[in-house]
């Protein structure tokens, strides 16, 4: 992986077929997509490979703090997507919880959240902006075949440091997280007083 300017350099530890695949990636097309999406610095590239045993595997509904281009190379992946404005309906875990950035509300509790579902076929790419909720399910993988995905992560720090006003849903999620950190750290209790504090604050604002 690189930082800033995309560079992919296969190492001797990779097999010849995988090295050839990496070398054949058309990074010029990726750069064109980066310009359209106005993403930050390229930070990490991840490769996901699954066998027949991974068919039906599903991630927990969560969001990431990075922009992401998700490229499907073999097999299929189905995404359930919710934009950041639906965060209240998905009941995120507290920031100090080990499941931070994951949703507590699972079907049918989150059925009132408005989302979309999309299935990526081989050769298709999905742009997943930072703070968008997503649950990913691997499609059926025949015996002897593989499910292969490649994603490119981009820093969203520039959006946070130089926000556009008024704040859109993604940065409102980040602002809420920072307020939660501030209250929890002020009480020195890793977040146990946060719900009571905000309930009291809401009551005073409404009064």
């Amino acid at each position: 992986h690189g930082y800033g300017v995309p560079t992919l350099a296969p190492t001797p530890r990779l097999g010849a077929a995988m090295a050839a695949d990496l070398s054949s990636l058309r990074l010029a097309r990726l750069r064109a997509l980066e310009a359209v999406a106005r993403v930050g610095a390229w930070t990490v590239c991840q490769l996901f490979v699954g066998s027949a045993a991974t068919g039906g595997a599903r991630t927990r509904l969560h969001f990431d703090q990075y922009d992401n281009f998700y490229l499907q190379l073999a097999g299929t992946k189905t995404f359930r997507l919710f934009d950041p404005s639906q965060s209240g309906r998905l009941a995120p875990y507290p920031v100090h919880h080990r499941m931070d950035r994951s949703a507590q509300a699972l079907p049918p509790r989150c059925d009132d959240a408005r989302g979309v579902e999309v299935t990526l076929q081989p050769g298709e790419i999905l742009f997943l902006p930072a703070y968008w909720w997503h649950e990913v399910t691997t499609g059926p993988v025949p015996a002897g075949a593989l499910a292969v995905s490649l994603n490119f992560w981009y820093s969203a720090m520039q959006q946070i440091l130089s926000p556009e006003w008024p704040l859109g849903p993604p940065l409102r999620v980040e602002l809420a997280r920072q307020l939660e950190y501030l209250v929890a750290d002020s009480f020195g209790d890793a977040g146990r007083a946060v719900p009571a504090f905000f309930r009291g604050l809401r009551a005073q604002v409404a009064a």
Side-chain angles (χ1 to χ4, degrees):
H1 66 275
Y3 190 90
V5 179
T7 56
L8 288 175
T11 70
R13 299 178 63 182
L14 291 178
M18 184 174 289
D21 286 342
L22 286 174
S23 299
S24 68
L25 288 176
R26 298 178 180 178
L27 292 182
R29 291 190 176 183
L30 183 62
R31 297 298 296 275
L33 291 173
E34 293 169 0
V36 172
R38 299 172 60 189
V39 295
W42 183 26
T43 306
V44 174
C45 183
Q46 275 186 309
L47 178 68
F48 299 91
V49 180
S51 65
T54 64
R58 182 176 61 184
T59 68
R60 192 176 186 93
L61 183 62
H62 68 287
F63 69 85
D64 299 303
Q65 292 172 289
Y66 294 87
D67 292 322
N68 180 7
F69 283 114
Y70 198 102
L71 174 62
Q72 191 64 23
L73 299 174
T76 64
K77 293 281 180 73
T78 297
F79 288 73
R80 292 182 67 210
L81 304 168
F82 300 89
D83 78 64
S85 68
Q86 302 300 302
S87 296
R89 294 182 171 93
L90 299 174
Y93 280 95
V95 294
H96 287 92
H97 195 279
R98 65 182 181 85
M99 298 298 292
D100 178 30
R101 296 185 295 104
S102 294
Q104 299 183 63
L106 301 175
R109 290 180 55 198
C110 65
D111 284 350
D112 61 336
R114 297 186 300 274
V116 296
E117 184 174 293
V118 59
T119 297
L120 286 186
Q121 304 291 335
E124 295 183 333
I125 191 168
L126 172 69
F127 176 54
L128 191 59
Y131 301 98
W132 272 65
W133 294 89
H134 52 286
E135 176 189 82
V136 189
T137 303
T138 301
V141 182
L146 294 174
V148 184
S149 310
L150 183 66
N151 70 3
F152 301 84
W153 300 82
Y154 299 84
S155 172
M157 187 56 64
Q158 188 60 37
Q159 302 174 39
I160 297 173
L161 296 178
S162 302
E164 295 182 359
W165 298 91
L167 294 180
L171 290 187
R172 290 202 294 269
V173 171
E174 183 60 33
L175 177 60
R177 290 174 57 81
Q178 295 302 321
L179 288 173
E180 190 176 342
Y181 275 120
L182 177 63
V183 173
D185 293 345
S186 297
F187 284 106
D189 67 352
R192 284 175 291 181
V194 171
F197 175 87
F198 282 108
R199 282 197 298 269
L201 181 61
R202 173 180 287 184
Q204 291 188 32
V205 170

